[in-house]
Structures are given as C-alpha cells and as structure tokens.
Amino acid sequence: MKPANDKWGFRAEGSEQINLDKADSSLYRRLLNREPGFAACLFCGSCRATCTSGNEGMNFRLAHLLLQRGETARLKSLTDPCLLCGKCTLVCPRNVNIRAVVYNLKIMLHEPF
Amino acid sequence: MNLSDHPFFVWPFVAGMAFLCIYLPAVYLKWLRKTSARDRKKISAAIFSVKTIRAIREIFSECLLHRRIFRFNPTLGYMHMSLAFGWFLLIVVGKTETMLYTRDGFNPPYLPVFFKYFYPDHIPANFKGLFFLTLMDLLLLFVLSGLTLAIFKRFKSKFLGMKKSTRHILPDRIALTFLWLIFPLRWLAESLTSGVYNAGGFFTLSSGRALASLLPAEQLLLPAWWAYSIALGGFFVALPFSRYMHIFTEAALILLKHWGVKTTQRANGYTDFEIHSCSRCGICANVCQLSADAGINHSQAVYFLRDLRYNRLQPETAENCLFCGRCSAACPVDIQVDDIRLQQRTNRANRCAPAIRRPAAQLPGTPETGGVLYFAGCMTHLTPSVKEAIRTILNRADVKFSILDEAGGICCGRPAMQAGFRQQAESIIQQTTEMILRSEASLLLVSCPICYKVFNEEYQLPIPVKHHSVFFKELAAAKPELFKNSRKRITYHDSCELGRGSGIYEEPRELLRRVAHLVPTAHEREDALCCGGSLANLAISPAQRDLITDTAYEQLIAPAPDYVVTSCPMCKKTFSKGKRDIPVVDIAEALQMALTPEEKPVRVKVGKKAEVLA
Ligand code: SF4
Ligand code: SF4
Ligand code: SF4
Ligand code: SF4
C-alpha cells in the first residue's frame, strides 16, 4: 500500500539520524586495529569510482560510513562483490589499504567475535 | 679391563634406532594413506620404473651432497655436505670395515658404530686394514670440520653467506645439542681407547696419546662410550619432533615428486611430506624482501612451515607474504611453499566470499572471428598509457583485434584466488571463459602477468594465451621494419608473475635488445626483486610496501639507465609512486617509442587554416 503522503509527489521518510555515542562501532574498531591507516579516509569516493565491481554494488566508501555508524546489516551486500583486484588501493589519495580492509571485513563478517 | 664385559652402553643407541625404525615408517604410511587415490595409483605405476632411479640420483645429490646449497654459498654447502655425506660415509665405510674384519656380513648394527670399543687393540696386518683405519679417521675429521662451521654459523652467520640464522624452538635445540655432541664424543671415546691400547688411526692415535698423558684415560673410557651412545640415542629419539625430520622425509619427498605426486588445492598427505622436509636452513628467510627491507620477520617460508607443522599457525602469518616466489626459487628442497600457503588461506577465507554473477548486460558483443582478443585487466586500466601503446602497435602492425574488457569491470579472478576466495574466483573464471569462447578469437593477448598466469593455469582455454612481451617479440621478428633501435640505456625489471611465476625471462630481453641498449642489474631473472606491490600480501602496511619498492627501484636505476622497463602494469604503477627521477615504462610503451615514423599517405593536404578561410 502506498503511503498516504505520496500524493504530494514526495515522501518524508523517517530520519536516518543516529546517536553516534550509542552506535555499536565494535566491528569498526576491530578493523581499525588491524588497519590503522583506515582512519585517514576522507570519503572522496575515488575507490568507488575506479572499482571493478562497482556495477555489482561494491561500495567501499558507503561501507566505511555504515561501519562508523554501526549499521552493519548492509555491509555484506556492499562488500560481497569485491574481487580484491586492488585498483582502489592504488588510487586512494590517503593511502588507505582498502583491499586489506575489505578482505578483513569479509572475514570478520563470517567469523564470530 | 676387558671392555667386552661392559657392552650395556650400546643400549641407548639401539633403543633410539629401534624407535626410529618403527616410528618413521608408521608416520610415512599414515601420510601416504592421506594422499588421494589418484596419487597412490601414480605411485604404484611409477615405483618400478626409471623414475625411481632418477629420484635416487637426486636424493644422492641433494640429501647427501647438497648441491643446491653449494650454489647458494659454497661454505654453507660444504657445512651441510660434510655433515650429511660425511656421516653417511662413516656408516657405509664403518660397516664395510667391520664386515671385512669379522668376516661376518650380518653383525649386529651397533658393531660398526662402536667398532673401536669392541676391537680396541686392532692393529691392521695388511694394507687394506690400514686403508680403512686411515679412511675412518679422515671421515671423522671431515664431519668435525663441518660441525665446527655449524657452531660458528650459530654465532656468526654472515661468514656463511647468511644474514641471519633461523630462530629455533625447543625440540630443535634439544636435537641440535645431541647432534653437536655426537661427533666430538665419538672422537673422545675413540681417542681414549686408542690412547689406552696404543692402537688406532693417525688422528685418533695421536690425539689419544696426548689425552692419555693428561687424563686418567682408562677410567674415562667407558663413560665416554656411554656418552657417545646416549648422544646418538637421544638424537634419534628427538629427530622426528625436530627439524631433523627432514633428513629422511626429504628423500621420501624426492621419490614422491619423481613418481608424479604434486601439491594440490587442499592439504593432504603430500603436504605433510613437504612440511616435514623443511630443514629450516633459513635460506628462504635470507632472500625474502620482507625481512631485508620491511622488518617483517615472522612469516617467511621457514616460519610459516614450522608454525603449520606444530599446529600454531596464525592466519596473519599465512597472509603476510608477497607470493614473490623468491623463497621457493632458492629453497634447496624445492618446497612449493606458496601453494601450501594458499591452501591455508583458502581453508579460512573461501566461505567468506560468495560466487559472483555478473549482469549479462555487461558482457561485450562478439568481436571479429579469428582475430586477436586483447584482455587488458584491472591493472592495465589503471595505467591507460600501456593500453594505448598496445593499441597503437597493433594498429600499426595491421593486427586484427578487439578488446574484451574495453569498458573495464572484468577481473581475471587471480587476486581473489590468492586471497583464498576460491569459489568466488571460480565463478569469475567460468563467466570470463564463456565470454572468451563466444568471441571465437584465435588468440588471447594479455598485458598483465597476474592475469597471464591465471589464464594459463586455471582457465582451460582452447586458444593460446600470450603475454604482450612474447607476442610483440614475435611481431618485431616478423616485421623488423616497424621498429628502430633508439640506443637508449635501459634496465629491465622481471615481474614476479612473469619471471619466476611463468618462466618468461628471455623473450622480453630479446625484444628490448632490438629497440634499445639493455644493461644488466644486480638482481636478474630468478633472483629478481619484487616491486613490493604484489596483491598477494594481505597484511603488509603501505609504508612497509614502500620500503620494499624503494630498494627494488634503487637497484634498477643503479646502472644509470635512461629509463627502466617492466612488463607488468602493476609493477609500473608501484614504481611510479612518489618522486622518481628515472621513469619506469611498460615494455609496450618502450616499443611504441621505437616505432619508425609512419609513411604519410600522399594526399592533398587541407590545413585547418584553409578550412577556416574557406
Ligand atoms: S579513495 Fe581512499 S580516501 Fe577516498 S573514499 Fe576511498 S578509502 Fe576513502
Ligand atoms: S579491490 Fe574490490 S573494492 Fe577495490 S577496486 Fe577492486 S573490486 Fe573494487
Ligand atoms: S623452506 Fe626451504 S629454504 Fe626455507 S628453511 Fe625450509 S628448506 Fe630451507
Ligand atoms: S614468497 Fe616472497 S615474500 Fe613470501 S616468504 Fe617467500 S620470499 Fe618472502
């Protein structure tokens, strides 16, 4: 069923605002511990722009944002398509070891804490 | 004292030897049963063939003479040879001497070992006896010289061409202590006996007389024989649990290898043979750039194999490796450690990455039948000048071609495979294979050695796969008029995947000699350095990578070339990072620069100016 306010031609969806103090950033911290350089990311999006698997939904920049926000539900679908080709790592202006972060993230999403 | 009244001292030796004779066949059988049925069939087909003879020849040259170690460093080779071959000869010659003396072929196994104890006053009556007596003394000296080097190496490894000696663990230290004691104790026991009975070879008799004049030789005699026997027995018991397990396992591995058994995707009994064949000689750690440049000292082949063997492997140890292949190339036992590492990575990571299905819309249309299909790959897409150079040369040479991944977005699957994501890689391989088959091309041209290797080894393509360095070498030979020699000084960097990985060393050099003046560097071919960019290392930090890159770059520019040539877009990209005075170009770019000017077709020129004026 269409939401009632659709008749206005736009929708007011619920706010995505979160309380960062309450966010569960444990996965993010584990990754940071493994790859400290990860913290230097400035969300420029170069990694996403060059990505070999961009068409299949790989999005490192977004995955990083969600990790920080503790929103882990979508992480798997955002990182599954990565083929570890390494292009992103070579173009990142902040020298983030993106490939290694994605590799470890893929493993951490499968191995329980 | 009648020595023969006290033969109980032989028991430690006999017990140790009995233990070995039961334990070793038992574990080897266990491992053999863990190999695949196919491997076992191979073994039974080859066991009574010429392959076995070839294997025995290799066992002789590698397990006893240690020829490959000689090649790495002659002094180190001598050290290993004197211990292995010297000991072997002591056994063989000792047995012969005893058989001749007692005229009994079936004397107990301890008799040759303690021969001098049982026949202390043996003074040879003829030349043959004297020959053996002297030979045995010479052999003992031979082994003792190697032992001296070994002890020296522990404290001053540089002397034997090693930057570092392997760090050893407790079972190794125990076995090592026994081993180091065996021959000095043998010398002591034999000398004391010679001193007391005034009979023996030139060496033991003279040292025995000296000892007897200083010490109560008669009282020390029996304890010395006891100590010698305990050292032998102790060594035999410690052997299977220490690195010395390699002594017998290496021989078994050589046999298996000659019979056609190979490392597989999953660890099996053959892997056990490989792991236990590592002597922890440390040669691999000495050629590894991780330790030389990046201060990483825990993940080299020697430590990886050790941790795996003792069930204490951390995933990070398996991940922290460039797969550069320098260690496997230098390993005197020829252990395919990259394959074993990959088994471990796959064990852990495979289930963490699902198979990929690409949207069908992304697949390109059908190119011309019978032409060349060019696959650029991710790394060539990152270095567009390489792709352009290849396109230009192909056009210039009138080669019919189409580009499989013009729009990018296709990966060959090798990086995923190296990370252990096997099922994901296989799904990629399958889909890319379908695309290649649909193209009906007659040849697949690849400009990235990483792709080249996986196309060659994992894709089962019905058409030949060629790396562009090889393809262009043939092209330049067929159409020499297209290229001129610029006489520029250049050096060539062998990439790991093309060189050690695929054995292509000469073709790029031949091509380069045609278009420039190629000068040698300090590390060539099998000994080439890794650029540091390798995708295979999942644990190294970017800063550590840079250290490796800088060293490799420095040795490439040491002969002061005009530019450096590589045949891998990944190496080019890696070397081009940061400030570089001497540029690094791909072999395709070097060739593009050497193209002769195109003859202009005669046609009436309408200049831009004329157009504007018209
Ligand atoms: S390219 Fe580097 S800095 Fe930019 S978004 Fe990606 S990780 Fe962050
Ligand atoms: S390594 Fe993964 S995230 Fe990076 S470019 Fe390749 S596919 Fe994209
Ligand atoms: S892997 Fe080879 S080179 Fe390395 S320690 Fe073992 S035997 Fe020596
Ligand atoms: S493959 Fe290269 S990086 Fe890995 S252990 Fe061997 S020498 Fe070192």
Side-chain angles (χ1 to χ4, degrees), chain A residues 34 50 52 55-56 80-87 90-91 95 97 99-100 103 106-107 110-111, chain B residues 316 319 348 351-352 354 356 359 362 378-379 382 409 411 415-416 419 421 424 535 539-540 542 577:
Chain A
R34 185 68 205 260
T50 194
T52 299
N55 282 346
E56 279 85 63
D80 267 353
C82 170
L83 299 169
L84 294 183
C85 73
K87 274 168 92 181
L90 284 166
V91 301
N95 232 350
N97 205 355
R99 199 172 161 269
Y103 169 80
K106 280 175 178 241
I107 298 223
H110 275 83
E111 285 179 356
Chain B
E316 199 268 350
E319 288 159 8
R348 175 175 188 229
R351 67 200 163 85
C352 304
I356 299 279
Q362 208 191 314
C378 303
M379 285 304 144
L382 264 191
C411 174
F421 297 151
Q424 187 181 58
L535 291 173
I540 190 172
K577 221 170 117 188

Side-chain angles (χ1 to χ4, degrees), chain B residues 424-475:
Chain B
Q424 187 181 58
E426 274 169 359
S427 69
I428 294 296
I429 289 176
Q430 192 218 329
Q431 289 164 63
T432 313
T433 305
E434 282 166 19
M435 283 160 59
I436 296 171
L437 292 184
R438 213 159 355 118
S439 79
E440 294 182 10
S442 62
L443 180 118
L444 183 68
L445 176 66
V446 182
S447 55
C448 171
I450 306 171
C451 311
Y452 175 74
K453 196 166 155 69
V454 74
F455 278 125
N456 248 342
E457 292 178 1
E458 301 288 337
Y459 286 64
Q460 259 112 38
L461 294 176
I463 53 171
V465 182
K466 279 208 175 128
H467 184 256
H468 66 312
S469 62
V470 177
F471 184 82
F472 286 151
K473 187 216 108 188
E474 291 164 3
L475 185 80

Side-chain angles (χ1 to χ4, degrees), chain B residues 320-364:
Chain B
N320 206 338
C321 164
L322 301 160
F323 277 3
C324 70
R326 281 176 61 78
C327 51
S328 306
C331 172
V333 190
D334 197 20
I335 300 174
Q336 296 307 308
V337 64
D338 288 356
D339 293 341
I340 304 174
R341 222 187 262 272
L342 190 53
Q343 289 170 351
Q344 294 305 313
R345 291 184 181 188
T346 310
N347 272 353
R348 175 175 188 229
N350 197 14
R351 67 200 163 85
C352 304
I356 299 279
R357 181 122 279 274
R358 289 199 190 99
Q362 208 191 314
L363 308 182

